[in-house]
Amino acid sequence: MRSNRRDFIKKASAGALGVTLTGGLTSASAKSYSRILGANDRIHVAVQGLGRRLGGFIEAISDKKNNIELMYLCDVMTSQREKASQKFSKVMDHKAQLENDIRVILDDKKVDAVFMATPDHWHAPGACMAVQADKHVYLEKPCSHNPKEGELLVAYQKKYNKLIQMGNQQRSSLESSEIINDIHNGIIGDTYNAIAFYANSRGKVPVPVKAAPPEGLDWELFQGPAPRKDYMHDTWNYNWHWYGWDYGTGETGNNATHELDIARWALDVKYPEHVEVYSGKFHYKNDGWEMYDSMLAKFKFSNDKTIQWDGQSRNGLSKFGAGRGTLIYGSKGSVFIDRGGYRLYDLTGKVLRKKSLQGGEDGVALGGGGNLSTRHCVNFFQAIRGKESLTSPIEQGVVSQMLTHYANIGSRINKSFEVDEITGRIYDRDAMKLWSRTYEPGWEIKPV
């Protein structure tokens, strides 16, 4: 029975890949699915990284209609594992096994899929390890820590023929998909510019000082692919985002991923030809925050289209009536899109049509969960079964992620640069020095 189920999952995976490439279900995958009933349809999953994004997965995993068996909860912090187990115990009638090392889970052949919601530096290495171990992957944003990892993700996905869904959940918004399809069909004429923005009021963070790792933290495994260094106070609990480039990708990797993806999708563009960035740390100048906290970035494309990014980590003033979103300009009107829905305007600024998401999705608040996250997870499950195409396949996700990498690179080298619009490679030598990173020996992602 188990071998039959495994064969089904593999066949369904191949069918789902065909969906992604062709836009419709293959007859083989549909017929295969129709022959499978009951427990054979069950998908066995593990979750790696049990912090703030865990809430985005609980409803989809626990809903009996989705026929999911949660086998493992994995985190390098004991308290995170225990808290996650308690959360799931309220909605599921069985307990998952708790584990701190993802490599143990990947060795379990019964696991079909892994949700990865770790710190950024673990995302691509963990996903490549997982698909190589015959697992499908739901990969939280940012999908990569640097541009080279994006290339490797696509290569691994193709070689091992497993699904990788990027966790930019707005791709599963029916409202966003509807209006972007209308934009592509000319509802606001010829598009020429998109402004993507994010505003938050993050406060001071501690100045890091050398300290013993907190009780229960496996500091060695937390670092994983990153070069080894001594633990610094308060690094592990979210502030790794702001303490240099070892683990995080700044606010741009953290949040611009979502809005820049919507902008690129709406304008129907790929790689830009020119990038310029203005950024700096302007708030709480004596605290431990090492990254920029404010950024303006501009991406110019060869077809006279532009995307602008306005990111404010520590000035929460709303723009366009929201804390985050994307404004699309066209020759005949404009559209505002966010996680809550959209508004269509004519050239006078009159609202012609609007639609709101029922139930909502978290905006700038820490944590995650809501209709879009649940829908995105369910889409992942259905794609594994061959019933749907992925709404955010990794080959699309890595292109949008490149915009955040360009912005971060521009910030770090403090100059603009040109990009090959076909390959995405940067012409500037200083910029290309940041195309990849240094890995801890033994943790490198090997080319395939």
Side-chain angles (χ1 to χ4, degrees):
M1 181 70 73
R2 175 177 160 183
S3 62
N4 290 340
R5 189 192 66 80
R6 294 289 296 178
D7 289 343
F8 161 70
I9 293 292
K10 289 180 180 179
K11 290 177 182 178
S13 170
L17 181 61
V19 171
T20 298
L21 297 176
T22 64
L25 277 173
T26 64
S27 59
S29 65
K31 290 178 181 177
S32 296
Y33 182 83
S34 68
R35 291 195 297 266
I36 305 298
L37 298 172
N40 283 356
D41 186 35
R42 185 165 298 134
I43 299 172
H44 294 75
V45 306
V47 182
Q48 179 192 16
L50 306 174
R52 290 171 171 83
R53 276 302 294 158
L54 180 65
F57 314 143
I58 292 176
E59 183 176 348
I61 291 174
S62 63
D63 190 334
K64 292 183 179 180
K65 294 194 302 293
N66 295 327
N67 201 9
I68 304 301
E69 181 175 340
L70 177 63
M71 293 186 64
Y72 293 95
L73 291 169
C74 179
D75 198 282
V76 297
M77 185 62 164
T78 301
S79 61
Q80 296 280 73
R81 298 194 295 271
E82 293 172 346
K83 290 176 183 177
S85 182
Q86 292 172 3
K87 289 179 180 179
F88 273 104
S89 69
K90 297 177 181 178
V91 292
M92 299 184 73
D93 56 9
H94 73 276
K95 283 193 174 183
Q97 184 173 328
L98 305 186
E99 178 57 60
N100 78 317
D101 192 335
I102 188 62
R103 293 170 294 186
V104 174
I105 295 170
L106 297 182
D107 285 340
D108 188 337
K109 296 185 183 301
K110 192 176 181 181
V111 174
D112 301 305
V114 181
F115 283 75
M116 293 190 164
T118 61
D120 302 354
H121 69 292
W122 254 102
H123 286 187
C128 290
M129 291 165 58
V131 296
Q132 190 172 22
D134 201 31
K135 320 298 183 193
H136 303 288
V137 179
Y138 183 107
L139 183 59
E140 269 299 335
K141 57 78 197 169
C143 63
S144 56
H145 181 270
N146 54 74
K148 181 63 177 178
E149 289 185 348
E151 295 177 336
L152 289 166
L153 279 169
V154 173
Y156 269 73
Q157 189 278 322
K158 289 181 178 178
K159 178 176 176 62
Y160 294 103
N161 196 26
K162 308 306 292 184
L163 301 181
I164 304 179
Q165 170 95 305
M166 184 167 156
N168 46 343
Q169 64 269 24
Q170 198 172 336
R171 281 272 177 164
S172 286
S173 165
L174 301 180
E175 294 76 19
S176 295
S177 181
E178 173 187 285
I179 192 61
I180 289 176
N181 183 63
D182 288 343
I183 290 172
H184 291 170
N185 287 329
I187 197 167
I188 57 172
D190 297 325
T191 56
Y192 60 90
N193 185 37
I195 300 176
F197 66 92
Y198 174 86
N200 206 340
S201 52
R202 305 186 191 277
K204 292 182 179 180
V205 298
V207 175
V209 294
K210 187 176 179 180
E215 182 179 356
L217 176 67
D218 188 331
W219 178 234
E220 174 74 15
L221 271 180
F222 178 98
Q223 295 177 93
R228 296 298 176 262
K229 60 191 296 187
D230 291 334
Y231 182 78
M232 306 292 283
H233 169 68
D234 207 35
T235 293
W236 85 274
N237 189 18
Y238 200 79
N239 282 332
W240 53 265
H241 281 290
W242 327 122
Y243 292 159
W245 298 98
D246 286 316
Y247 314 120
T249 53
E251 193 73 86
T252 307
N254 189 37
N255 272 299
T257 303
H258 294 290
E259 275 66 43
L260 287 175
D261 177 59
I262 295 298
R264 189 183 72 80
W265 184 14
L267 264 59
D268 195 21
V269 293
K270 192 175 182 182
Y271 297 119
E273 61 178 8
H274 181 81
V275 178
E276 56 183 304
V277 180
Y278 305 91
S279 64
K281 177 184 175 180
F282 299 108
H283 306 280
Y284 313 111
K285 292 189 176 183
N286 295 321
D287 76 346
W289 191 293
E290 298 177 21
M291 321 293 278
Y292 56 84
D293 58 19
S294 305
M295 176 183 282
L296 294 172
K298 184 175 183 179
F299 309 91
K300 185 179 183 301
F301 299 83
S302 60
N303 51 3
D304 291 327
K305 296 186 180 185
T306 55
I307 293 176
Q308 297 170 263
W309 167 247
D310 182 352
Q312 294 289 332
S313 297
R314 305 206 273 185
N315 185 332
L317 178 66
S318 295
K319 302 175 179 68
F320 307 107
R324 67 187 312 161
T326 309
L327 188 63
I328 312 297
Y329 289 96
S331 59
K332 297 180 180 179
S334 57
V335 171
F336 176 75
I337 312 172
D338 66 5
R339 296 179 179 185
Y342 67 82
R343 297 189 298 272
L344 169 67
Y345 299 90
D346 66 13
L347 288 177
T348 70
K350 178 184 177 181
V351 176
L352 300 178
R353 190 173 90 214
K354 62 181 179 180
K355 183 171 286 189
S356 297
L357 171 69
Q358 298 300 313
E361 177 88 358
D362 285 341
V364 298
L366 289 179
N371 289 0
L372 299 186
S373 289
T374 298
R375 188 179 296 146
H376 207 51
C377 294
V378 173
N379 169 251
F380 175 56
F381 298 146
Q382 294 296 72
I384 291 174
R385 294 183 172 111
K387 296 193 71 178
E388 296 180 8
S389 60
L390 290 176
T391 55
S392 188
I394 196 61
E395 62 266 26
Q396 286 293 324
V398 297
V399 178
S400 293
Q401 200 70 69
M402 276 303 304
L403 297 184
T404 74
H405 291 318
Y406 293 143
N408 279 335
I409 289 171
S411 175
R412 294 173 72 179
I413 67 174
N414 195 29
K415 59 179 175 179
S416 60
F417 52 80
E418 308 296 322
V419 176
D420 184 324
E421 63 178 329
I422 304 299
T423 66
R425 290 285 178 127
I426 304 171
Y427 292 118
D428 186 278
R429 290 184 179 181
D430 293 329
M432 284 303 294
K433 291 177 182 178
L434 300 175
W435 191 260
S436 186
R437 70 165 303 166
T438 300
Y439 294 89
E440 177 68 12
W443 284 90
E444 302 90 346
I445 312 175
K446 296 180 180 179
V448 292

